[in-house]
Amino acid sequence: MIAGRLENMHKFCFVFALGYLTLCQIARVYIFDYGQYSADFSGPMMIMTQKITSLAFEIRDGIFCKEEELTPSQRRLAVRRMPSLLEYLSYNCNFMGILAGPLCSYKDYIAFIEGRSYQLKQFEANGKEDPKHEQKEPCPNSAVIHKVIVSAVSLAFYMTATRILPVEYNIDEQFQETSSVLNRIIYLYLSLMAARPKYYFAWTLADAINNAAGFGFQGYDKNGEENWDLVSNLNIKQIEFSTSFKMFIDNWNIQTALWLKRVCYERATYSATAKTFLLSAIWHGVYPGYYMTFFTGSLMTLAARRIRNNARHHFLHSSELMFVYDVITWIATQVAISYTVAPFVLLSVKPSLQFYSFWYYCLHIACILVLLAMPARARKKGREEEKAPISQPVGHQRTEDNISEQNSHSTTNNNSNQREETAWRRPSAAQ
């Protein structure tokens, strides 16, 4: 960072950090314990790779780039001076996020270390100090207790459910031959749902650790309640009741999605979606199942966007039709997500291909047919049917259109900071 020229420094940091991480992943997978999930050095290296690359881009934006060249989120995150060695190591290796993150921006972390985070969040939320809340510092105790309980329940559920519903049973030949299609779909959904709480446990506990240290305050909501979701990494309710592929992605591993946006999606000049999925696969590791999952996910995202563009407006005329649409899309989303992420859990080539062959690659073929057959029609802003009143969808989430109009994150109660961060998704909000 110090030796390189500012205009190329972010590229050097990106290639070096991601390349070193890849070597670590190769060593872990092919030398130590292929096919096993383990907590080792590669996990912290994944988080540090995000921090190193994010900071490099933020310094380049703040020192080298002109203001008019940056997006609103890039301007907010831009770092105007090179950090000292102590600041750099503190950001990368602080005890709160060294094991499981989540990723935070350098400016948010430095504001916390310098004791300015509370005042900054109040100013960002209100434009001035709010007299209703300025008398006392926010207290994270209730948020920490709640998140620790969620972590404990998630761990208990995972340890129990995965014994009853192993994902590997989806590739059992006898099960595939003797079970009906409906039973296979239901078991696929339940087995992948049982595998998710492992991530709920790790990310929620990591979030609680940051909050316990006093980091993560995001301001007050409209009811005056404290919001400690600045570095939250998921929204469980929105994940389980997702009615679109995009909604699931927006609520899953949120900080990593924001990192992918900062360093890849919004800077790509072409094929932004494909490049972002490829980077995500490389960052996760070298298991072939990861690449199968993210390739399939890219197809799913493009096909879901095309279907929504061509079908959704037909259901906006009444709350009853919108409810039917939400139910159908919830079922379709959960099946598509389970189908997509199965190789991510199975890891290796043989079981992953075996799984897809049992399903005759049906959703891959369906996605390709959708992309070939359906026109890529753009939504017209201000359409009357887009403005039609609709009911709350499954899981009581607000409609995606209203969320897009408000430029807010579809999954958290975060204030303007994370709303700006998720603006990168707007070109694909029509999926």
Side-chain angles (χ1 to χ4, degrees), residues 233-252:
N233 221 11
L234 77 166
N235 187 313
I236 296 174
K237 180 180 178 182
Q238 298 294 336
I239 288 171
E240 298 300 340
F241 290 99
S242 294
T243 56
S244 73
F245 212 84
K246 173 186 178 297
M247 185 178 175
F248 186 97
I249 294 173
D250 279 352
N251 288 275
W252 177 268

PDB file of all heavy atoms in Angstrom, residues 233-252:
ATOM      1  N   ASN A 233     -24.810  -9.716  10.131  1.00  0.00           N
ATOM      2  CA  ASN A 233     -24.470 -10.454   8.919  1.00  0.00           C
ATOM      3  C   ASN A 233     -25.649 -11.212   8.325  1.00  0.00           C
ATOM      4  O   ASN A 233     -25.496 -11.819   7.260  1.00  0.00           O
ATOM      5  CB  ASN A 233     -23.331 -11.439   9.214  1.00  0.00           C
ATOM      6  CG  ASN A 233     -22.312 -11.485   8.102  1.00  0.00           C
ATOM      7  OD1 ASN A 233     -22.325 -10.659   7.189  1.00  0.00           O
ATOM      8  ND2 ASN A 233     -21.419 -12.447   8.167  1.00  0.00           N
ATOM      9  N   LEU A 234     -26.789 -11.219   8.983  1.00  0.00           N
ATOM     10  CA  LEU A 234     -27.931 -11.949   8.435  1.00  0.00           C
ATOM     11  C   LEU A 234     -29.213 -11.499   9.117  1.00  0.00           C
ATOM     12  O   LEU A 234     -29.188 -10.863  10.163  1.00  0.00           O
ATOM     13  CB  LEU A 234     -27.757 -13.454   8.617  1.00  0.00           C
ATOM     14  CG  LEU A 234     -28.011 -14.065  10.002  1.00  0.00           C
ATOM     15  CD1 LEU A 234     -28.114 -15.571   9.882  1.00  0.00           C
ATOM     16  CD2 LEU A 234     -26.908 -13.725  10.982  1.00  0.00           C
ATOM     17  N   ASN A 235     -30.322 -11.829   8.479  1.00  0.00           N
ATOM     18  CA  ASN A 235     -31.655 -11.618   9.030  1.00  0.00           C
ATOM     19  C   ASN A 235     -32.410 -12.927   8.859  1.00  0.00           C
ATOM     20  O   ASN A 235     -32.866 -13.262   7.763  1.00  0.00           O
ATOM     21  CB  ASN A 235     -32.374 -10.472   8.302  1.00  0.00           C
ATOM     22  CG  ASN A 235     -33.683 -10.099   8.953  1.00  0.00           C
ATOM     23  OD1 ASN A 235     -34.492 -10.952   9.284  1.00  0.00           O
ATOM     24  ND2 ASN A 235     -33.908  -8.809   9.122  1.00  0.00           N
ATOM     25  N   ILE A 236     -32.514 -13.686   9.938  1.00  0.00           N
ATOM     26  CA  ILE A 236     -33.019 -15.059   9.851  1.00  0.00           C
ATOM     27  C   ILE A 236     -34.448 -15.106   9.337  1.00  0.00           C
ATOM     28  O   ILE A 236     -34.788 -15.935   8.480  1.00  0.00           O
ATOM     29  CB  ILE A 236     -32.913 -15.741  11.231  1.00  0.00           C
ATOM     30  CG1 ILE A 236     -31.439 -15.860  11.647  1.00  0.00           C
ATOM     31  CG2 ILE A 236     -33.562 -17.125  11.197  1.00  0.00           C
ATOM     32  CD1 ILE A 236     -31.230 -16.393  13.047  1.00  0.00           C
ATOM     33  N   LYS A 237     -35.292 -14.228   9.843  1.00  0.00           N
ATOM     34  CA  LYS A 237     -36.693 -14.241   9.428  1.00  0.00           C
ATOM     35  C   LYS A 237     -36.826 -14.004   7.934  1.00  0.00           C
ATOM     36  O   LYS A 237     -37.581 -14.708   7.238  1.00  0.00           O
ATOM     37  CB  LYS A 237     -37.463 -13.180  10.211  1.00  0.00           C
ATOM     38  CG  LYS A 237     -38.934 -13.107   9.863  1.00  0.00           C
ATOM     39  CD  LYS A 237     -39.640 -12.036  10.688  1.00  0.00           C
ATOM     40  CE  LYS A 237     -41.105 -11.917  10.305  1.00  0.00           C
ATOM     41  NZ  LYS A 237     -41.791 -10.853  11.074  1.00  0.00           N
ATOM     42  N   GLN A 238     -36.099 -13.028   7.418  1.00  0.00           N
ATOM     43  CA  GLN A 238     -36.204 -12.725   5.994  1.00  0.00           C
ATOM     44  C   GLN A 238     -35.597 -13.831   5.135  1.00  0.00           C
ATOM     45  O   GLN A 238     -36.050 -14.074   4.012  1.00  0.00           O
ATOM     46  CB  GLN A 238     -35.499 -11.395   5.712  1.00  0.00           C
ATOM     47  CG  GLN A 238     -36.093 -10.194   6.426  1.00  0.00           C
ATOM     48  CD  GLN A 238     -37.488  -9.869   5.940  1.00  0.00           C
ATOM     49  OE1 GLN A 238     -37.866 -10.221   4.819  1.00  0.00           O
ATOM     50  NE2 GLN A 238     -38.273  -9.209   6.762  1.00  0.00           N
ATOM     51  N   ILE A 239     -34.583 -14.515   5.657  1.00  0.00           N
ATOM     52  CA  ILE A 239     -34.002 -15.644   4.919  1.00  0.00           C
ATOM     53  C   ILE A 239     -35.020 -16.768   4.772  1.00  0.00           C
ATOM     54  O   ILE A 239     -35.240 -17.300   3.678  1.00  0.00           O
ATOM     55  CB  ILE A 239     -32.733 -16.152   5.637  1.00  0.00           C
ATOM     56  CG1 ILE A 239     -31.594 -15.157   5.474  1.00  0.00           C
ATOM     57  CG2 ILE A 239     -32.317 -17.531   5.104  1.00  0.00           C
ATOM     58  CD1 ILE A 239     -30.390 -15.474   6.329  1.00  0.00           C
ATOM     59  N   GLU A 240     -35.638 -17.144   5.872  1.00  0.00           N
ATOM     60  CA  GLU A 240     -36.554 -18.285   5.848  1.00  0.00           C
ATOM     61  C   GLU A 240     -37.852 -17.980   5.112  1.00  0.00           C
ATOM     62  O   GLU A 240     -38.533 -18.908   4.668  1.00  0.00           O
ATOM     63  CB  GLU A 240     -36.852 -18.741   7.277  1.00  0.00           C
ATOM     64  CG  GLU A 240     -35.630 -19.226   8.051  1.00  0.00           C
ATOM     65  CD  GLU A 240     -34.950 -20.420   7.397  1.00  0.00           C
ATOM     66  OE1 GLU A 240     -35.593 -21.114   6.590  1.00  0.00           O
ATOM     67  OE2 GLU A 240     -33.755 -20.642   7.686  1.00  0.00           O
ATOM     68  N   PHE A 241     -38.193 -16.705   4.988  1.00  0.00           N
ATOM     69  CA  PHE A 241     -39.432 -16.338   4.284  1.00  0.00           C
ATOM     70  C   PHE A 241     -39.145 -15.566   3.004  1.00  0.00           C
ATOM     71  O   PHE A 241     -39.973 -14.784   2.549  1.00  0.00           O
ATOM     72  CB  PHE A 241     -40.347 -15.519   5.207  1.00  0.00           C
ATOM     73  CG  PHE A 241     -40.939 -16.316   6.331  1.00  0.00           C
ATOM     74  CD1 PHE A 241     -40.388 -16.280   7.602  1.00  0.00           C
ATOM     75  CD2 PHE A 241     -42.042 -17.122   6.118  1.00  0.00           C
ATOM     76  CE1 PHE A 241     -40.927 -17.019   8.642  1.00  0.00           C
ATOM     77  CE2 PHE A 241     -42.601 -17.867   7.149  1.00  0.00           C
ATOM     78  CZ  PHE A 241     -42.034 -17.815   8.413  1.00  0.00           C
ATOM     79  N   SER A 242     -37.988 -15.782   2.422  1.00  0.00           N
ATOM     80  CA  SER A 242     -37.632 -15.085   1.180  1.00  0.00           C
ATOM     81  C   SER A 242     -38.590 -15.455   0.060  1.00  0.00           C
ATOM     82  O   SER A 242     -38.915 -16.627  -0.135  1.00  0.00           O
ATOM     83  CB  SER A 242     -36.206 -15.453   0.767  1.00  0.00           C
ATOM     84  OG  SER A 242     -35.273 -14.977   1.693  1.00  0.00           O
ATOM     85  N   THR A 243     -38.991 -14.446  -0.690  1.00  0.00           N
ATOM     86  CA  THR A 243     -39.863 -14.683  -1.837  1.00  0.00           C
ATOM     87  C   THR A 243     -39.160 -14.399  -3.157  1.00  0.00           C
ATOM     88  O   THR A 243     -39.805 -14.324  -4.201  1.00  0.00           O
ATOM     89  CB  THR A 243     -41.131 -13.807  -1.741  1.00  0.00           C
ATOM     90  OG1 THR A 243     -40.748 -12.429  -1.626  1.00  0.00           O
ATOM     91  CG2 THR A 243     -41.969 -14.197  -0.540  1.00  0.00           C
ATOM     92  N   SER A 244     -37.856 -14.236  -3.119  1.00  0.00           N
ATOM     93  CA  SER A 244     -37.068 -14.091  -4.341  1.00  0.00           C
ATOM     94  C   SER A 244     -35.636 -14.479  -4.049  1.00  0.00           C
ATOM     95  O   SER A 244     -35.178 -14.438  -2.900  1.00  0.00           O
ATOM     96  CB  SER A 244     -37.118 -12.650  -4.871  1.00  0.00           C
ATOM     97  OG  SER A 244     -36.342 -11.796  -4.046  1.00  0.00           O
ATOM     98  N   PHE A 245     -34.925 -14.853  -5.083  1.00  0.00           N
ATOM     99  CA  PHE A 245     -33.514 -15.203  -4.947  1.00  0.00           C
ATOM    100  C   PHE A 245     -32.730 -14.009  -4.433  1.00  0.00           C
ATOM    101  O   PHE A 245     -31.845 -14.131  -3.591  1.00  0.00           O
ATOM    102  CB  PHE A 245     -32.975 -15.652  -6.309  1.00  0.00           C
ATOM    103  CG  PHE A 245     -31.893 -16.694  -6.214  1.00  0.00           C
ATOM    104  CD1 PHE A 245     -32.209 -18.032  -6.085  1.00  0.00           C
ATOM    105  CD2 PHE A 245     -30.563 -16.327  -6.258  1.00  0.00           C
ATOM    106  CE1 PHE A 245     -31.217 -19.000  -5.992  1.00  0.00           C
ATOM    107  CE2 PHE A 245     -29.568 -17.286  -6.172  1.00  0.00           C
ATOM    108  CZ  PHE A 245     -29.890 -18.629  -6.047  1.00  0.00           C
ATOM    109  N   LYS A 246     -33.063 -12.831  -4.931  1.00  0.00           N
ATOM    110  CA  LYS A 246     -32.383 -11.612  -4.506  1.00  0.00           C
ATOM    111  C   LYS A 246     -32.611 -11.334  -3.034  1.00  0.00           C
ATOM    112  O   LYS A 246     -31.697 -10.932  -2.307  1.00  0.00           O
ATOM    113  CB  LYS A 246     -32.864 -10.423  -5.328  1.00  0.00           C
ATOM    114  CG  LYS A 246     -32.320  -9.093  -4.830  1.00  0.00           C
ATOM    115  CD  LYS A 246     -32.947  -7.946  -5.578  1.00  0.00           C
ATOM    116  CE  LYS A 246     -32.422  -6.629  -5.037  1.00  0.00           C
ATOM    117  NZ  LYS A 246     -32.751  -6.389  -3.639  1.00  0.00           N
ATOM    118  N   MET A 247     -33.827 -11.538  -2.575  1.00  0.00           N
ATOM    119  CA  MET A 247     -34.135 -11.282  -1.173  1.00  0.00           C
ATOM    120  C   MET A 247     -33.322 -12.204  -0.265  1.00  0.00           C
ATOM    121  O   MET A 247     -32.829 -11.783   0.791  1.00  0.00           O
ATOM    122  CB  MET A 247     -35.626 -11.476  -0.924  1.00  0.00           C
ATOM    123  CG  MET A 247     -36.079 -11.125   0.479  1.00  0.00           C
ATOM    124  SD  MET A 247     -37.854 -11.343   0.640  1.00  0.00           S
ATOM    125  CE  MET A 247     -38.040 -11.025   2.394  1.00  0.00           C
ATOM    126  N   PHE A 248     -33.160 -13.445  -0.660  1.00  0.00           N
ATOM    127  CA  PHE A 248     -32.344 -14.380   0.115  1.00  0.00           C
ATOM    128  C   PHE A 248     -30.896 -13.899   0.172  1.00  0.00           C
ATOM    129  O   PHE A 248     -30.277 -13.856   1.234  1.00  0.00           O
ATOM    130  CB  PHE A 248     -32.418 -15.778  -0.500  1.00  0.00           C
ATOM    131  CG  PHE A 248     -31.719 -16.840   0.306  1.00  0.00           C
ATOM    132  CD1 PHE A 248     -32.432 -17.642   1.178  1.00  0.00           C
ATOM    133  CD2 PHE A 248     -30.339 -17.038   0.198  1.00  0.00           C
ATOM    134  CE1 PHE A 248     -31.795 -18.632   1.925  1.00  0.00           C
ATOM    135  CE2 PHE A 248     -29.689 -18.012   0.941  1.00  0.00           C
ATOM    136  CZ  PHE A 248     -30.419 -18.809   1.813  1.00  0.00           C
ATOM    137  N   ILE A 249     -30.337 -13.519  -0.979  1.00  0.00           N
ATOM    138  CA  ILE A 249     -28.950 -13.070  -1.036  1.00  0.00           C
ATOM    139  C   ILE A 249     -28.757 -11.799  -0.217  1.00  0.00           C
ATOM    140  O   ILE A 249     -27.741 -11.634   0.478  1.00  0.00           O
ATOM    141  CB  ILE A 249     -28.524 -12.853  -2.501  1.00  0.00           C
ATOM    142  CG1 ILE A 249     -28.514 -14.195  -3.255  1.00  0.00           C
ATOM    143  CG2 ILE A 249     -27.161 -12.188  -2.588  1.00  0.00           C
ATOM    144  CD1 ILE A 249     -28.267 -14.059  -4.740  1.00  0.00           C
ATOM    145  N   ASP A 250     -29.720 -10.896  -0.273  1.00  0.00           N
ATOM    146  CA  ASP A 250     -29.627  -9.636   0.475  1.00  0.00           C
ATOM    147  C   ASP A 250     -29.590  -9.858   1.981  1.00  0.00           C
ATOM    148  O   ASP A 250     -29.084  -9.007   2.715  1.00  0.00           O
ATOM    149  CB  ASP A 250     -30.824  -8.741   0.148  1.00  0.00           C
ATOM    150  CG  ASP A 250     -30.643  -7.997  -1.160  1.00  0.00           C
ATOM    151  OD1 ASP A 250     -29.540  -8.059  -1.728  1.00  0.00           O
ATOM    152  OD2 ASP A 250     -31.602  -7.352  -1.614  1.00  0.00           O
ATOM    153  N   ASN A 251     -30.130 -10.961   2.439  1.00  0.00           N
ATOM    154  CA  ASN A 251     -30.224 -11.221   3.874  1.00  0.00           C
ATOM    155  C   ASN A 251     -29.216 -12.239   4.373  1.00  0.00           C
ATOM    156  O   ASN A 251     -29.157 -12.505   5.564  1.00  0.00           O
ATOM    157  CB  ASN A 251     -31.642 -11.712   4.211  1.00  0.00           C
ATOM    158  CG  ASN A 251     -32.665 -10.609   4.129  1.00  0.00           C
ATOM    159  OD1 ASN A 251     -32.856  -9.868   5.074  1.00  0.00           O
ATOM    160  ND2 ASN A 251     -33.305 -10.470   2.974  1.00  0.00           N
ATOM    161  N   TRP A 252     -28.440 -12.811   3.474  1.00  0.00           N
ATOM    162  CA  TRP A 252     -27.499 -13.868   3.833  1.00  0.00           C
ATOM    163  C   TRP A 252     -26.075 -13.330   3.695  1.00  0.00           C
ATOM    164  O   TRP A 252     -25.681 -12.832   2.642  1.00  0.00           O
ATOM    165  CB  TRP A 252     -27.699 -15.073   2.911  1.00  0.00           C
ATOM    166  CG  TRP A 252     -26.732 -16.191   3.135  1.00  0.00           C
ATOM    167  CD1 TRP A 252     -25.535 -16.377   2.498  1.00  0.00           C
ATOM    168  CD2 TRP A 252     -26.865 -17.273   4.053  1.00  0.00           C
ATOM    169  NE1 TRP A 252     -24.915 -17.505   2.970  1.00  0.00           N
ATOM    170  CE2 TRP A 252     -25.711 -18.087   3.929  1.00  0.00           C
ATOM    171  CE3 TRP A 252     -27.851 -17.641   4.965  1.00  0.00           C
ATOM    172  CZ2 TRP A 252     -25.516 -19.234   4.680  1.00  0.00           C
ATOM    173  CZ3 TRP A 252     -27.663 -18.793   5.717  1.00  0.00           C
ATOM    174  CH2 TRP A 252     -26.515 -19.578   5.572  1.00  0.00           C
TER     175      TRP A 252
END
